[in-house]
Amino acid sequence: MTRPPQVPVSEGSPLRGALLWGALSVLVAPRAPLPLTAAAPARLDLAVMPLGEPVVVLGEHWLAGEAVAIAVCLVPGLPLGVAAAREFAVSGRGTPLPYDPPTRLVTTGPYGYVRNPMQVSMAGAYLVLGTLDARFLAAVPVVVAYGAGLAAWHEGEQPAGRFGAGWADYRRAVRPWGPRLRPVMPPASVYVDAGCSTCSEVGRWIAARNPSGLRVLEAGDHPGGPRRITYERADGQAFQGMAAVAHVLTHIHLGRALAGWFLLIPGITRFAQLCADAFGYGPRAVPAGPDRPGPGQARAPAERGKRG
């Protein structure tokens, strides 16, 4: 009887982590906390890999390789992967999978900078891994070929039929591979309390950066009476506090956007908000009517706070 071929795995497989964990974890649980998102695939891999014998033979250092896979593939790939998958799920009401495509055209988040953020991030991950092992560089042209071939063909057929002129305009404005330094974003608004000195400074800082598609408005004019800085999109999605700040950063330029996407990772947003609250930037009441100062004005010193 012929023995099945063996695949030695001496140090785990960072390549497997890059291919599966980065996409699978986000698609299955896009809102899960970061530690759980990283731990679940790792636990599954630890349980399944030993069952692969005799086809897969684990070396004595495979656990060390597993740790390297998590450190250099899974965790660094999460910010952009989470941001891209989140936009598909939240804004597009779908997934990147062909059998469950978005029902709305997604042009927000990473898609305001580049049309193929998932392929771009994967190619970038392989380039980084290439500094550890040159063999990973061979995967870069494979990713590019897939994106420029199959994905581009699918892009040209499906979105054009579903989204028509909107897709054509977006395709002309945003490149498939070379990220823009400044995004093309649909309209959105950020509401900032002009009666709070620190909050008004934040509002002026945002306006001075000339954010793409973003209006800076007075919080007192918001019908819902927000108690934190509030970011709203034209489709009705709203975010408050540090989540709002993170979304605002994505309207400025690519460098700020990377920080915003990192801040939007589940778990990190909550931790950042707890820190902000602890330093006095928690919720506050915004007066309405005649007691509300106009933009550029401030309350009396006794009422002024640094929270917003």
Side-chain angles (χ1 to χ4, degrees):
M1 181 176 180
T2 303
R3 188 176 183 182
Q6 294 182 337
V7 180
V9 182
S10 60
E11 296 183 358
S13 177
L15 179 62
R16 184 181 63 258
L19 287 173
L20 297 178
W21 294 352
L24 185 61
S25 305
V26 172
L27 292 175
V28 171
R31 298 183 182 276
L34 177 62
L36 180 60
T37 305
R43 180 66 184 88
L44 178 64
D45 213 33
L46 290 172
V48 172
M49 286 299 292
L51 302 179
E53 293 186 356
V55 177
V56 176
V57 179
L58 300 176
E60 61 176 317
H61 301 298
W62 80 279
L63 287 176
E66 202 75 17
V68 172
I70 295 170
V72 304
C73 297
L74 177 60
V75 174
L78 281 175
L80 187 55
V82 169
R86 183 198 301 259
E87 292 302 325
F88 260 61
V90 177
S91 299
R93 307 293 174 84
T95 71
L97 302 176
Y99 60 81
D100 184 26
T103 58
R104 300 177 180 175
L105 178 61
V106 181
T107 61
T108 50
Y111 296 93
Y113 290 88
V114 63
R115 292 209 310 265
N116 299 322
M118 295 186 186
Q119 288 98 324
V120 170
S121 63
M122 183 171 289
Y126 283 128
L127 287 173
V128 173
L129 288 171
T131 63
L132 304 175
D133 189 333
R135 288 175 291 183
F136 285 111
L137 295 177
V140 176
V142 175
V143 174
V144 174
Y146 168 80
L150 180 61
W153 168 79
H154 183 266
E155 253 188 13
E157 295 291 331
Q158 300 296 329
R162 292 199 307 271
F163 307 121
W167 166 251
D169 293 341
Y170 171 67
R171 192 171 186 176
R172 282 192 295 268
V174 180
R175 295 182 292 267
W177 286 95
R180 298 173 55 95
L181 294 180
R182 294 268 302 172
V184 176
M185 289 287 194
S189 302
V190 60
Y191 292 86
V192 182
D193 182 10
C196 157
S197 60
T198 302
C199 305
S200 60
E201 289 175 8
V202 170
R204 288 192 293 271
W205 182 90
I206 295 171
R209 269 68 190 172
N210 191 27
S212 174
L214 185 68
R215 298 183 303 165
V216 182
L217 304 177
E218 159 60 30
D221 295 332
H222 190 284
R227 293 170 56 81
R228 299 182 188 270
I229 181 173
T230 299
Y231 169 90
E232 285 191 354
R233 291 175 175 168
D235 61 5
Q237 294 183 60
F239 306 87
Q240 292 192 346
M242 293 307 297
V245 172
H247 281 285
V248 166
L249 293 177
T250 68
H251 284 259
I252 299 176
H253 61 63
L254 185 58
R256 305 277 186 190
L258 289 171
W261 296 330
F262 178 79
L263 190 57
L264 285 171
I265 292 177
I268 292 182
T269 310
R270 181 172 297 182
F271 176 75
Q273 188 63 64
L274 288 174
C275 292
D277 292 350
F279 282 97
Y281 296 93
R284 57 175 295 116
V286 178
D291 295 330
R292 172 174 55 83
Q297 298 178 342
R299 294 191 186 92
E303 298 182 16
R304 187 180 304 161
K306 65 176 181 178
R307 299 183 293 174

